Amino acid sequence: MIALASLRERWRSLLGTLLTLAVAVAVLTVCGLLLVSARPVAPERYAASPVLIRPVPPAAPEAFTEPRPWPKEQAEALAIRLAAVPGVSAAVPVHRFYAQVLRDGAPVAGERDASNWSAAALGGHVLATGRAPAGSGEVVLGASLGMPVGARVELLTAAGPEQFTVTGTVRGAGTWVADSVAGARAGGVPLIGLLTSADADADADADADAGDGDGDGRDAGVAAAATAIVGADGVVLVGDARGAAEPVDDARTRWIGMQVLSALSALGLFVSVFIVASTFAFATRQRERELGLLRLLGAVPRQVRRWVLGEVVLLGLLGGAVGIPVGLLAAGPVARWLVRTGFEPASFTVLYQPVVPVAAMAAGVLVALVGAWAAARRAARVGPLAALRAAAVDDRPVTLVRMLAGGVALAAAVAAGVAATRASGANLGTYALYAAMALVTAGSLLAPVLLPPAVRLLTAPFARGRGATVLLVRQHVATAGRRSAAAAAPVLLCVAFTVLIGGMVQTTTAYYGLNRVTAADATAVVVPDGTPGLSDAAVTAAGGLSALPTTLYDGVEPLPAAGVTPAEHVLLTVADGSLTALHRPPPVRPSDAAGPAEQAVPAVGLPRPLPAGPGRARSVGPVVPVAVTEGFAASAGWVTGSTHPVFGPDGRPITLEVVAVLAGGPLPAGILLDRAAVRAMDPSALTVVVYSGQPVPESALGGLGARPLSAAAYAASSQDEDDRLVWVFTALLIAVSAGFGLLAVVNTMLMSTTGRAGDLRVLKLSGATRGQVLGLLAAETAVVVATGAALGLAVAVAALAALARGLSVQLGVPVPMVIPWGTLAATVGVCLVLAVAAATLPALASNAAGRGRGSAA
Amino acid sequence: MTSTATVRLHAVRKTYRTGAHTVTALDGVSAEFTAGSFTAVMGASGSGKSTLLQCAAGLDTVDSGQITVDGTDLAGLSEHARTLLRRDRIGFVFQAYNLVGALTAAQNTALPLRLARRAPQGAAVAQALAEVGLAERAGHYPAQLSGGEQQRVAIARALITRPAVLFADEPTGALDSTSSAVVLAALRRLVDGHGQTVVMVTHDPAAAAVADRVLVLADGRLVDEITGADPARIAARLAAGAVAA
Ligand SMILES: Nc1ncnc2c1ncn2[C@@H]1O[C@H](COP(=O)(O)OP(=O)(O)OP(=O)(O)O)[C@@H](O)[C@H]1O
Ligand SMILES: [Mg+2]
């Protein structure tokens, strides 16, 4: 009853907390729904295949590289054995290669690969018109392109634009060529799809116990048999697990989406705990007399604690009741926005799992409880004599526990900062964010210690004046250190996060720009335009320096590599060895000699020979000369002259021979090899960018899916898809943290002034004019905002320094720390305006409303 | 000593330490308050009256000496046990800020019962309010009551648990003489009608005259005891004491 009655009485001052909790629950509901919805979806093109078999993926899913494919011969052998499984009508190896339809010389978005015509059946595609492709220049297209049978169509492949004739169309989207053509053009086999026949149902039903023997039971049986055949050479996917066969790009997009949603949830949780904590710390301080009265009347401390906690549970439930519907309504539009922005693949839809709102509600209550925990403990310690004292003096010094907690938070911040200097990519930002969270916590815990001296310092120049304002401000902030700290905390949070996040983007953008500029002293740069990369024809037309990226495999783990020509040697500095051997004539592969592949390809089902360590290097497959970067050489333990058995991008074993170690500078990959060798092993490899010494005319690149940029434009561009995503992500985080922070600023200031009504009355009675009272409030607020902002800036700068250092270590050149002064000024300005308004408005209102009767509340 | 004293203080000393300063608020005070008696405590500002009440009510600890309330020695009690004793056996009313603003008069009155997890009986609450003449203001919030009415609600609340003793620290300090008279009359009725033990601190000789006995404190010591006197004589005795001191 007391909790309820007190809520009713103080609802105005708790409105901010309620709003915070509601927003937090809404954010959690949306993020939770989207997180559980963000599941890999089996691609359309395999919709009709209930059982998919793919090669063993790398251990780290965040590598976002295709698993090492099977060599064609091994895949064919596997397929033959799989086709013999009862219930399997066909086992189709997929041969896929880069081929993007050009319409009027412009690449068409969507499907970017062509496959063997047999694989069309895996997607359930049947001819709508025409006939299957047979010859080398024939293609079947999805009807959605609107190309009729007999039409000529240009396909952009890794080599360049090629002419094809449409022999048939199917419903939906896709590009298919004759099996022989696809087999010749594709590298390794990334997938084998099984088709099951209807008559297999009979067998499966016989095996099944009850009447539920349907397709699922049959598929499970087929999957079990397939697993026995494939053994350690692959992974059998059935049912929802087939989602693992989604395109790597989709997996990456989904992963980025997960990062965004998790960061938003974490930030939302942290900020709401923070706001609830500061609101309740404040409220408890203001209610000391009332709590003392209750203690005086015989309430035991446990009861007091329970009231405070009961109150926040009610608030949490109320917040949930408001937040959940909002979250449920918002999930759909947010999901569509995520797809549009590129944080989720197009296949993404929201699954409305009832457990999510329930969990969000529970989280909201938990957040409220955690936030109010310290305040509840403090409230329970209020003695009965507090009711008799008129004390406004914060006589309790900062407790040891608080100091210790502040110290721990500071240590955590340093640890996260150190981790940030070691981390890479998206983790770097995450660690910087953690560091800031810990620093914000430390800052607000230690603020009561830091604040009074800081305020004295800040107001020192005015101390000599005769006015009462400075005296009052100084005295108030100094004697009520904790209270002022509670008011300054949200400003600290607001400034720290916006400056940190803004600075993070600008620092990383500076880093990427630096990365690009240092890559080559180029006047012009040619980049893909509507394509995933540049074809060889585009590279030739651009006429500059470039690298052809590919992936080698150490066992199943990817090793990023790139192919270069002798022309690119100008970009390389040799530390050890020599580059002359790098371009030995391309190796003759055993399979190219059309002979049986036994010597290179391990027999199906037998354990694969383990890649030998550097010490006992065994020559397996052809020897390929490579140059490695110093960084890679150091981490992998490779030295000049050593040989290393690995697998090529087509899944065949090769042996790398280190002929040179390269020093310094950013390089496209850790391992460099001859460009022709890459092309031989990876027919679909595409060039990322070409650096040219002279300007490249746009006309030279017509119909090649490429466009030229000046070097300066390129360095400054955020055209990069990743950059754009990072930018949007950042804006989101800033919006959420700033939104929460400003809410908290307004909330605390409103509470603060309401709580000081008595003080202000006394001031007025002792002769202060209304203007003086308002001026005093404004000055006090400004001091608190300024101190909070200064502490917040210190926090942000510390975290940014850690980030810049991390990037410097990664790049090997100093990365300047960028402090977003504009963002800082804007944030502080908005904080100041809102805080002063929130602090003075209630005073104005109470002036207008006249005097109310004082009571214990 | 087998007296029927409800509250007994024996050689109570209490000092406050603030930094280097020590203030002796009570300097060896011994006193007894027998059941059904109405005692006023007077003395100059800072003489230790409030301290005396707070110590006797178990709100504060003493440095030395002994205090028993309703047969229980306060010295041996934990904070928790003292809270329970206060809740069940002691009523307390002070100058201002007596009520929880969020609760109505009736709810405020029933508060000690709720705190004790006893079912608040509507009849008992109504009766307690009736005893202080506020039967029909039960549903009002403190902000809707006058200072005197608030004070009487506080008295009703202090009595709802039928405490052994009621301590009142300047209950009429913030009231005009009419309101004061109503509050004092309410207290007097409790003593006469229900045999309630009352100890009241006051600066007002007229208020003190309502009591059976007046104890006078000076610098933490008991310096005088006046019984059955009218306001004029009490004022005179206080003035004499002040001159003597
Ligand atoms: N919490 C405290 N800390 C330090 N000194 C105190 C404290 N409370 C009271 N004192 C001191 O103890 C002495 C007695 O105070 P007490 O409040 O008992 O006086 P009082 O007789 O009730 O005065 P008044 O009539 O003004 O209410 C005073 O000198 C006072 O300054
Ligand atoms: Mg007093």
Side-chain angles (χ1 to χ4, degrees):
Chain A
M1 174 206 70
I2 290 170
L4 244 176
S6 144
L7 269 190
R8 205 172 45 223
E9 163 93 2
R10 304 187 302 119
W11 68 270
R12 231 184 287 268
S13 64
L14 291 177
L15 213 57
T17 315
L18 183 66
L19 205 60
T20 303
L21 286 171
V23 172
V25 170
V27 167
L28 286 178
T29 307
V30 171
C31 290
L33 280 175
L34 299 183
L35 278 173
V36 300
S37 307
R39 282 197 273 209
V41 180
E44 288 281 305
R45 54 163 83 133
Y46 307 134
S49 174
V51 180
L52 300 174
I53 297 127
R54 72 167 188 155
V56 179
E62 278 98 79
F64 300 119
T65 43
E66 294 280 1
R68 189 191 84 208
W70 295 295
K72 285 169 199 162
E73 302 74 19
Q74 190 184 356
E76 293 299 344
L78 260 179
I80 290 168
R81 297 184 57 191
L82 286 166
V85 170
V88 173
S89 60
V92 185
V94 173
H95 297 281
R96 204 161 57 208
F97 62 99
Y98 171 65
Q100 198 170 359
V101 175
L102 291 172
R103 202 204 300 267
D104 306 327
V108 174
E111 285 291 328
R112 289 164 162 183
D113 289 334
S115 307
N116 45 327
W117 171 243
S118 316
L122 300 178
H125 296 291
V126 287
L127 281 171
T129 57
R131 60 168 177 85
S136 59
E138 296 184 351
V139 67
V140 166
L141 292 178
S144 56
L145 280 172
M147 302 262 193
V149 172
R152 300 285 290 165
V153 61
E154 213 174 11
L155 288 185
L156 184 61
T157 67
E162 292 179 50
Q163 294 290 327
F164 281 79
T165 306
V166 180
T167 61
T169 62
V170 301
R171 201 164 296 140
T175 308
W176 293 274
V177 297
D179 286 12
S180 58
V181 175
R185 286 178 167 257
V189 172
L191 189 104
I192 299 173
L194 301 189
L195 294 171
T196 49
S197 54
D199 50 293
D201 277 333
D203 300 356
D205 282 345
D207 291 345
D209 292 330
D212 66 343
D214 56 1
D216 287 353
R218 179 194 62 210
D219 296 345
V222 168
T227 307
I229 290 172
V230 173
D233 284 330
V235 182
V236 176
L237 308 171
V238 64
D240 287 342
R242 293 182 310 140
E246 71 180 333
V248 169
D249 282 352
D250 278 10
R252 219 176 90 78
T253 306
R254 233 168 15 79
W255 182 79
I256 295 174
M258 289 283 251
Q259 301 293 103
V260 172
L261 293 172
S262 317
L264 280 182
S265 312
L267 198 67
L269 275 175
F270 174 78
V271 176
S272 357
V273 168
F274 191 87
I275 293 179
V276 173
S278 54
T279 311
F280 269 78
F282 218 90
T284 307
R285 221 170 297 285
Q286 291 187 341
R287 290 171 70 197
E288 246 170 38
R289 179 172 273 152
E290 182 191 335
L291 294 172
L293 177 60
L294 292 170
R295 291 276 287 113
L296 189 72
L297 295 177
V300 290
R302 194 158 19 95
Q303 283 174 308
V304 173
R305 195 163 53 229
R306 261 206 309 259
W307 288 322
V308 176
L309 294 181
E311 206 174 284
V312 299
V313 167
L314 280 174
L315 270 183
L317 291 175
L318 227 62
V322 176
I324 284 175
V326 173
L328 288 176
L329 286 176
V334 172
R336 280 193 290 283
W337 179 80
L338 284 177
V339 171
R340 222 175 322 123
T341 319
F343 284 125
E344 294 291 349
S347 59
F348 184 74
T349 47
V350 183
L351 305 173
Y352 287 92
Q353 302 264 21
V355 64
V356 171
V358 173
M361 175 77 113
V365 171
L366 203 69
V367 160
L369 276 176
V370 170
W373 193 257
R377 282 179 52 95
R378 227 188 91 81
R381 278 204 306 272
V382 170
L385 284 173
L388 303 172
R389 280 199 210 107
V393 181
D394 234 345
D395 52 354
R396 255 166 297 238
V398 176
T399 59
L400 190 66
V401 176
R402 190 172 176 137
M403 295 281 269
L404 278 178
V408 168
L410 209 59
V414 170
V418 169
T421 62
R422 303 231 176 94
S424 61
N427 285 337
L428 194 66
T430 310
Y431 277 123
L433 207 60
Y434 286 156
M437 284 187 186
L439 272 174
V440 164
T441 310
S444 38
L445 282 172
L446 300 177
V449 188
L450 305 176
L451 215 58
V455 168
R456 264 194 289 276
L457 209 72
L458 243 140
T459 52
F462 312 103
R464 253 163 256 253
R466 283 152 175 262
T469 307
V470 171
L471 174 77
L472 281 167
V473 169
R474 278 169 71 101
Q475 281 316 107
H476 175 74
V477 178
T479 53
R482 283 174 155 218
R483 196 173 121 147
S484 311
V491 179
L492 190 159
L493 176 111
C494 215
V495 170
F497 274 109
T498 46
V499 171
L500 170 73
I501 297 170
M504 244 162 80
V505 179
Q506 293 189 14
T507 302
T508 44
T509 309
Y511 158 76
Y512 287 128
L514 212 67
N515 205 355
R516 289 203 187 98
V517 175
T518 38
D521 293 324
T523 37
V525 176
V526 175
V527 296
D529 188 18
T531 57
L534 299 171
S535 65
D536 288 347
V539 171
T540 310
L545 304 179
S546 66
L548 186 63
T550 188
T551 308
L552 305 176
Y553 296 89
D554 177 9
V556 296
E557 298 304 327
L559 295 172
V564 293
T565 67
E568 275 87 31
H569 287 194
V570 297
L571 296 175
L572 312 177
T573 315
V574 177
D576 187 31
S578 146
L579 289 175
T580 47
L582 195 60
H583 306 282
R584 282 195 305 236
V588 178
R589 313 188 121 268
S591 60
D592 291 345
E598 270 79 39
Q599 68 187 98
V601 180
V604 170
L606 288 180
R608 177 183 297 116
L610 288 171
R616 47 190 186 95
R618 229 170 351 126
S619 183
V620 185
V623 173
V624 177
V626 294
V628 296
T629 61
E630 266 176 338
F632 179 83
S635 67
W638 292 17
V639 292
T640 310
S642 64
T643 57
H644 308 276
V646 298
F647 294 87
D650 53 2
R652 296 210 177 93
I654 54 174
T655 296
L656 301 184
E657 182 193 343
V658 180
V659 296
V661 174
L662 303 172
L667 289 165
I671 303 174
L672 298 184
L673 54 161
D674 183 53
R675 188 177 180 114
V678 170
R679 181 51 81 212
M681 295 187 286
D682 190 352
S684 285
L686 296 174
T687 301
V688 178
V689 61
V690 178
Y691 301 100
S692 175
Q694 342 51 87
V696 181
E698 201 144 344
S699 56
L701 300 169
L704 293 172
R707 75 196 159 101
L709 278 178
S710 75
Y714 177 63
S717 74
S718 301
Q719 308 284 352
D720 197 305
E721 177 65 5
D722 280 4
D723 277 12
R724 192 182 61 82
L725 287 184
V726 166
W727 200 91
V728 176
F729 183 10
T730 308
L732 251 178
L733 289 179
I734 290 189
V736 167
S737 50
F740 269 119
L742 290 177
L743 194 67
V745 169
V746 171
N747 184 27
T748 355
M749 287 304 159
L750 273 173
M751 282 174 54
S752 168
T753 307
T754 317
R756 294 192 57 206
D759 265 13
L760 299 180
R761 224 184 339 262
V762 170
L763 264 179
K764 259 182 267 178
L765 290 177
S766 30
T769 64
R770 184 177 144 145
Q772 274 173 324
V773 169
L774 292 182
L776 174 73
L777 275 175
E780 233 177 70
T781 311
V783 166
V784 166
V785 168
T787 337
L791 286 176
L793 182 64
V795 163
V797 167
L800 278 178
L803 180 90
R805 195 165 144 55
L807 291 172
S808 298
V809 169
Q810 262 184 43
L811 190 59
V813 295
V815 173
M817 171 175 75
V818 185
I819 297 170
W821 295 109
T823 311
L824 173 68
T827 311
V828 175
V830 172
C831 276
L832 194 64
V833 168
L834 282 180
V836 169
T840 49
L841 279 182
L844 274 174
S846 76
N847 258 357
R851 31 140 223 111
R853 197 171 271 150
S855 75
Chain B
M1 287 233 282
T2 53
S3 77
T4 55
T6 306
V7 180
R8 184 168 27 222
L9 289 84
H10 181 69
V12 170
R13 272 182 64 83
K14 169 79 184 173
T15 52
Y16 289 109
R17 230 158 268 120
T18 37
H21 281 283
T22 33
V23 178
T24 305
L26 294 178
D27 191 5
V29 174
S30 296
E32 291 194 352
F33 304 94
T34 50
S37 68
F38 190 164
T39 311
V41 180
M42 300 193 74
S45 187
S47 56
K49 305 180 295 293
S50 295
T51 308
L52 176 77
L53 239 63
Q54 285 163 18
C55 290
L59 289 170
D60 214 342
T61 52
V62 297
D63 295 349
S64 65
Q66 195 190 26
I67 300 175
T68 37
V69 175
D70 200 26
T72 310
D73 188 346
L74 293 186
L77 298 184
S78 65
E79 169 62 31
H80 186 82
R82 273 196 286 145
T83 303
L84 296 189
L85 178 76
R86 203 159 59 226
R87 186 178 76 193
D88 297 333
R89 306 305 302 144
I90 299 170
F92 209 102
V93 175
F94 44 104
Q95 189 171 349
Y97 301 115
N98 267 307
L99 303 181
V100 179
L103 303 180
T104 63
Q107 286 171 334
N108 261 294
T109 308
L111 199 51
L113 295 179
R114 284 184 184 274
L115 291 176
R117 309 208 161 281
R118 280 191 251 155
Q121 284 145 359
V125 172
Q127 195 201 332
L129 282 172
E131 276 168 21
V132 294
L134 285 177
E136 60 294 356
R137 313 300 298 269
H140 285 62
Y141 284 94
Q144 300 164 323
L145 296 172
S146 77
E149 285 163 347
Q150 287 186 36
Q151 224 39 354
R152 282 186 281 153
V153 173
I155 292 169
R157 183 186 57 200
L159 296 172
I160 193 82
T161 55
R162 295 280 159 227
V165 57
L166 171 64
F167 292 108
D169 194 349
E170 302 186 42
T172 59
L175 304 180
D176 64 35
S177 53
T178 323
S179 302
S180 290
V182 177
V183 169
L184 289 167
L187 284 174
R188 187 73 241 178
R189 258 204 316 281
L190 289 167
V191 176
D192 296 340
H194 300 276
Q196 179 68 51
T197 311
V198 176
V199 181
M200 172 182 75
V201 168
T202 182
H203 283 287
D204 178 10
V210 179
D212 307 322
R213 174 174 74 135
V214 180
L215 297 182
V216 184
L217 273 177
D219 292 334
R221 292 165 198 269
L222 269 182
V223 293
D224 201 355
E225 179 173 339
I226 314 162
T227 43
D230 57 43
R233 265 193 54 210
I234 292 170
R237 279 279 279 274
L238 282 176
V243 171

